[in-house]
Amino acid sequence: MSDIRVGLIGYGVAGAVFHAPLIQATPGVTLAAVVTGNAERQAEVRARYGAVGLAEVEELWGRCDLVVVASPNRTHVSLAAAAIERGLPVVVDKPLARSAEEGWRLVRLAKERGVMLTVFQNRRWDGDFLTVRRLIGEGALGGVRRFESRFERWRPVPKGGWRESGGPEEVGGLLYDLGSHLVDQALQVFGPVREVYCESDVRRDGVAADDDTFVVLTHAGGVRSHLWVSSVAAQHGPRFRVLGSAAAFVKYGMDVQEERLRAGVAPDSPGFGEDEEARWGVLGTDDEHRVVRTEPGAYVDFYRGVVAALRDGAAPPVDPESAVEALSVIEAARMSADRGIVVRLS
């Protein structure tokens, strides 16, 4: 059976660091074409992947069996819709859309055309998150009361680019960027949200979108999720701090997979997703605790899931409706920050 030909739209950080290497590492798919207007990047994809570099999206149609949208956020819906209308399955980088309403329209269109739509929520396969899910599932913490999760950086000088300098029309800012992952992870573990509270600020000169945001989610089951995203954290808090009735779990440091992808390590190489022992988390209480080995991270499982969905009729690796649910929470968080209120969801 011939490989699924992948057409990748966009070759910035998302396309070059994440999607292209993961596609190359996945049996059953081949990176056939990449849309980028940058001539140097076109040359790179030819040399590194043997893919055709294209300047315009219109040149892509007819060259692929699967479209991956890794372009700027404001273009996600229009490009995904164009592919779906041509009967092509689509992977969309997060966030799926700028609003839940746009997301639902895209989900309905995919259902009407009978094609797969999924969203690249790769951090469901972070090793530290897989560890948290396992410990909660085993009952190692007792009943979870509070879930703390952070993506913090120290970037006092903005890097520039649309994510920081663009206004709402660019769907920029940390809430839509890293916040999409934190909200998604909280929903995956603890389910629907009934209340949202948010504090969101722009701390640095020259930045137009939020760079320091805190969100509280009250889940229908009673758990509260405290989520932080910041570019101005001079000292980082724990990546995870999960407080339960019997024990707590605390884990510092980011998942290793992004760091290794940026360094050019192949995602199918031995030990790619293995965390360093010095960064393993601690489970227990102040009086009695033990170190817990981090589960291996597995970003490659996302595209393996895509192949299974297209070849075998399996469910897509990420249900797009779950991404729309997360967008509803993010919209509520924006409303909360703008109005200084707690937003209640039905």
Side-chain angles (χ1 to χ4, degrees):
M1 186 178 293
S2 58
D3 280 358
I4 298 164
R5 300 172 302 163
V6 180
L8 172 61
I9 303 176
Y11 200 70
V13 171
V17 174
F18 291 93
H19 291 280
L22 291 170
I23 291 165
Q24 184 186 44
T26 304
V29 290
T30 297
L31 186 60
V34 177
V35 179
T36 172
N38 184 298
E40 291 182 1
R41 293 177 181 177
Q42 291 177 13
E44 179 185 331
V45 299
R46 285 195 298 270
R48 185 172 178 182
Y49 302 106
V52 177
L54 305 173
E56 301 292 339
V57 172
E58 291 304 319
E59 301 176 65
L60 181 63
W61 314 128
R63 296 176 179 265
C64 63
D65 311 302
L66 167 69
V67 173
V68 176
V69 178
S71 51
N73 292 350
R74 60 180 168 78
T75 66
H76 284 186
V77 170
S78 60
L79 291 173
I84 292 169
E85 287 169 350
R86 289 168 171 81
L88 292 168
V90 182
V91 172
V92 184
D93 205 290
K94 58 79 196 163
L96 173 63
R98 75 181 69 200
S99 69
E101 182 181 354
E102 281 189 347
W104 281 124
R105 287 203 298 266
L106 206 57
V107 169
R108 286 195 293 267
L109 179 63
K111 288 183 177 180
E112 291 168 2
R113 298 304 171 100
V115 298
M116 184 204 72
L117 170 65
T118 191
V119 185
F120 188 62
Q121 294 287 171
N122 60 302
R123 292 194 177 276
R124 293 188 187 184
W125 290 271
D126 275 0
D128 46 20
F129 180 63
L130 293 174
T131 305
V132 167
R133 295 200 74 166
R134 177 177 64 81
L135 292 173
I136 292 173
E138 293 173 352
L141 291 91
V144 175
R145 293 167 174 169
R146 188 164 76 231
F147 174 70
E148 299 179 8
S149 179
R150 294 171 173 83
F151 280 139
E152 294 179 326
R153 296 167 172 165
W154 175 234
R155 290 180 179 168
V157 178
K159 295 177 65 176
W162 61 266
R163 282 186 173 86
E164 293 184 327
S165 61
E169 69 281 357
E170 295 287 350
V171 201
L174 287 182
L175 181 57
Y176 272 102
D177 185 21
L178 296 174
S180 293
H181 289 306
L182 296 188
V183 170
D184 178 74
Q185 289 179 339
L187 291 174
Q188 287 301 300
V189 180
F190 303 112
V193 169
R194 68 169 188 256
E195 291 182 353
V196 181
Y197 169 75
C198 179
E199 300 168 2
S200 188
D201 295 288
V202 178
R203 301 292 192 185
R204 297 169 297 168
D205 293 338
V207 172
D210 70 288
D211 59 3
D212 189 24
T213 294
F214 170 62
V215 182
V216 179
L217 309 180
T218 302
H219 297 268
V223 176
R224 281 198 171 89
S225 291
H226 289 190
L227 313 176
W228 289 263
V229 282
S230 180
S231 293
V232 292
Q235 293 191 36
H236 301 170
R239 171 67 186 88
F240 287 108
R241 182 171 179 257
V242 190
L243 304 180
S245 60
F249 176 71
V250 181
K251 170 74 168 70
Y252 282 84
M254 294 291 291
D255 177 84
V256 298
Q257 293 174 94
E258 179 177 350
E259 176 185 336
R260 290 174 181 165
L261 285 170
R262 288 180 180 273
V265 179
D268 56 350
S269 60
F272 172 78
E274 293 284 353
D275 198 12
E276 300 171 8
E277 185 173 351
R279 302 202 299 188
W280 292 355
V282 175
L283 172 69
T285 68
D286 282 342
D287 298 324
E288 185 177 352
H289 52 265
R290 62 181 175 89
V291 174
V292 175
R293 178 181 178 272
T294 307
E295 293 290 313
Y299 288 171
V300 291
D301 284 357
F302 176 83
Y303 274 106
R304 289 172 182 163
V306 170
V307 172
L310 297 179
R311 293 283 195 221
D312 307 325
V318 173
D319 184 343
E321 294 190 16
S322 69
V324 177
E325 183 182 3
L327 283 170
S328 296
V329 173
I330 289 171
E331 286 184 284
R334 288 185 62 190
M335 180 186 297
S336 171
D338 289 343
R339 301 184 184 179
I341 60 173
V342 173
V343 177
R344 289 173 173 81
L345 301 179
S346 59

